Amino acid sequence: MTVRNLGILTVLFAFMQGAFAQDVPELIYYKFDAAGATVENFASAPVGTNPAPVTGLTIGGTGQFGTALQGNGGASSSNIINTGWVTNLGTGHWTISLYLNGLVSNTTLYYLFGDAGANSFRCFLGGAAGAGNLLLRGGGLPDLVVPSVATGPTVVHFTYDGTAIKAYKNGVLSVSANASAAAIAGTGFTLGGYSTSTGMNAGSVLDEFRVYNRALDAAEVAATWNVELGGGSSTTPVTVTIGTGTTSCGYPYYTLYEDARTQILVTKAEIEAAGGFAGMIDNLELSVISANSITMNGFEIRMQNYSGSTPAGFINTDWTTVYAGTDVATVGWHNTDFMVPFMWDGTSNLLFQICYDNTGWNGNSTVNGTAASGMTWHQHDDGASGCGFAGGSTYATRPNLRFEITPMSGAVLEGIVTNATSGLPVIGAKVMVGDSLTYTLLDGSYSLLCKGTDVIVKVSKIGFDNNDVPFT
């Protein structure tokens, strides 16, 4: 544990690697990241048919992470996922969560999931729920209306702990009701619709469908609602190849001149199409056709998560230097292992910079490239600082790239925030680590999920100083 004095706030925290990283749902975990007529169940003890058949509906569009199940407004009798699971939640504890977007806000009735044989256990949009609201009904539970879910995006968690049914929206408790007589056992659980009724509305998407055999507590809901869990090969890296063309490029190894700077953009869609996902990148390869033996001094590779689509000039801010030293090109897939791994966030595009600064020149080392207009910006010259070039121009051919991504693992940060003067707990202080956010409870405690490159704890509350504390 580490204690840091933050002026008038004191923060106590403990960093626990991987506490939630392995907690995929026990029963069902559909990611909807592979198009086709089936969907794989990535749960730790998957129930039902695996993979489950997708009938009438399609997988595509944009979900919470990658693609999603797309609604069409058709009848559930022919537009549905039959999980093959004979619903058996019984009277035990459980959690069901799902990401929703594109929901209509009217009183027309659209069903999302359920089992007619489980005491009519079901979830629907509109109808008795009201415009833009969800309603969980049946199974011996009291009706639970979740307000203002349309149009989204919204992640909804339903939890049952034997005494209460609760609904969370985007990690925050929305509504709850006392419930102690649930009896949810049926004949077949379906997703995307219910019985023969109208299923998901046209234009809507459903993603990250999770069913647990336990009730997640508020801390775990808050920590995982916006995190893709590590189902399947949770630690196995994948190789991402961008570009298959054979057009010869002199850049980025433009050693016919003393100095060169090249920036190369790869889109999120391209990475995902090549099998990539959010995670750690620790190398970069280029497909070298012919190699010159000259050493590139002052050689650097930099990277950043980039929100733009077509750079109109060199980008000079927000870089992470992943390699600095020298390099000599070699024929084939020429690899550079990073000194510092880089975390791709899975939502942004990815921008690379390769540059060097020599005092002599020889011939170019050429690489294979593929037509990709507006995705490469380059400049070369003599007697300058290659990594500091400010001019350059766009090139229509992008060098082919290859790199490995290792799925990111999570970690849990837990601690207490107190008043440094009185020693009393601070209630309602905001604690942020990267994109994760929570507030301290009555005893000043907090718990939230961190990602691989999150290293700063940000703590704030009105009337107190805002402060940032690094992990140590």
Side-chain angles (χ1 to χ4, degrees):
M1 290 190 177
T2 305
V3 177
R4 288 290 181 268
N5 191 314
L6 304 183
I8 57 174
L9 288 178
T10 298
V11 177
L12 175 68
F13 59 78
F15 188 56
M16 300 178 294
Q17 182 65 34
F20 284 155
Q22 303 306 317
D23 285 349
V24 298
E26 293 82 12
L27 304 178
I28 298 177
Y29 184 18
Y30 295 152
K31 295 187 175 187
F32 299 110
D33 286 340
T38 60
V39 59
E40 186 172 356
N41 187 350
F42 288 100
S44 60
V47 294
T49 306
N50 193 14
V54 179
T55 303
L57 303 173
T58 57
I59 297 174
T62 302
Q64 186 178 13
F65 308 107
T67 53
L69 182 68
Q70 298 176 296
N72 60 17
S76 297
S77 54
S78 55
N79 299 275
I80 207 162
I81 294 176
N82 185 347
T83 69
W85 176 44
V86 177
T87 312
N88 188 26
L89 295 172
T91 58
H93 301 182
W94 50 265
T95 299
I96 297 175
S97 89
L98 65 167
Y99 167 93
L100 297 165
N101 201 4
L103 302 181
V104 294
S105 185
N106 58 44
T107 56
T108 302
L109 191 59
Y110 298 100
Y111 284 88
L112 303 180
F113 64 79
D115 183 345
N119 200 2
S120 300
F121 180 64
R122 65 217 189 264
C123 179
F124 56 85
L125 171 73
N133 305 330
L134 290 188
L135 193 153
L136 186 70
R137 171 175 280 182
L141 295 167
D143 285 356
L144 192 69
V145 176
V146 188
S148 303
V149 175
T151 54
T154 309
V155 175
V156 178
H157 282 73
F158 296 105
T159 69
Y160 176 70
D161 63 4
T163 61
I165 178 74
K166 300 176 182 179
Y168 297 78
K169 292 196 309 182
N170 295 341
V172 178
L173 181 64
S174 175
V175 291
S176 65
N178 293 332
S180 58
I184 305 173
T187 55
F189 188 88
T190 59
L191 181 63
Y194 167 80
S195 185
T196 59
S197 304
T198 303
M200 297 164 55
N201 66 265
S204 66
V205 297
L206 186 157
D207 196 15
E208 289 293 307
F209 187 76
R210 309 171 183 182
V211 182
Y212 299 77
N213 65 3
R214 57 194 174 87
L216 272 60
D217 60 24
E220 191 168 358
V221 171
T224 60
W225 75 271
N226 199 26
V227 174
E228 185 175 13
L229 304 179
S233 301
S234 61
T235 60
T236 302
V238 299
T239 299
V240 173
T241 302
I242 305 297
T244 58
T246 56
T247 301
S248 178
C249 305
Y251 46 87
Y253 306 136
Y254 214 103
T255 47
L256 183 61
Y257 285 77
E258 294 177 354
D259 313 294
R261 184 184 188 188
T262 307
Q263 291 183 0
I264 303 169
L265 180 65
V266 178
T267 69
K268 169 183 179 288
E270 289 176 310
I271 296 172
E272 291 178 338
F277 38 67
M280 199 73 74
I281 302 172
D282 59 10
N283 78 310
L284 178 64
E285 299 178 72
L286 286 95
S287 177
V288 176
I289 302 169
S290 63
N292 192 284
S293 60
I294 189 171
T295 298
M296 290 173 281
N297 296 293
F299 183 86
E300 289 186 359
I301 299 177
R302 300 181 183 183
M303 297 175 65
Q304 64 174 276
N305 292 306
Y306 183 67
S307 60
S309 55
T310 53
F314 282 125
I315 306 301
N316 295 313
T317 58
D318 299 324
W319 289 104
T320 297
T321 301
V322 296
Y323 180 87
T326 62
D327 195 25
V328 179
T330 56
V331 172
W333 280 106
H334 176 67
N335 178 65
T336 303
D337 289 323
F338 295 164
M339 298 171 173
V340 178
F342 181 83
M343 177 65 76
W344 180 53
D345 61 16
T347 59
S348 305
N349 297 326
L350 190 57
L351 189 61
F352 296 84
Q353 174 171 293
I354 302 171
C355 60
Y356 65 89
D357 185 14
N358 274 351
T359 56
W361 57 273
N362 204 312
N364 287 338
S365 294
T366 58
V367 303
N368 284 305
T370 303
S373 180
M375 307 298 279
T376 303
W377 197 272
H378 171 80
Q379 184 178 0
H380 55 265
D381 206 345
D382 290 327
S385 174
C387 295
F389 277 136
S393 58
T394 187
Y395 284 71
T397 301
R398 179 178 60 190
N400 299 340
L401 304 177
R402 192 167 77 178
F403 48 88
E404 280 193 350
I405 300 182
T406 301
M408 61 183 179
S409 60
V412 177
L413 189 74
E414 293 183 341
I416 299 173
V417 178
T418 60
N419 187 310
T421 302
S422 66
L424 296 174
V426 178
I427 304 166
K430 182 168 73 173
V431 183
M432 292 185 66
V433 181
D435 294 330
S436 297
L437 165 67
T438 192
Y439 291 86
T440 53
L441 304 176
L442 291 176
D443 60 356
S445 65
Y446 62 89
S447 175
L448 76 170
L449 186 70
C450 312
K451 297 179 184 178
T453 54
D454 294 337
V455 294
I456 301 294
V457 186
K458 298 176 181 288
V459 182
S460 61
K461 183 175 172 64
I462 294 174
F464 292 80
D465 293 335
N466 295 338
N467 292 279
D468 300 346
V469 183
F471 294 151
T472 60

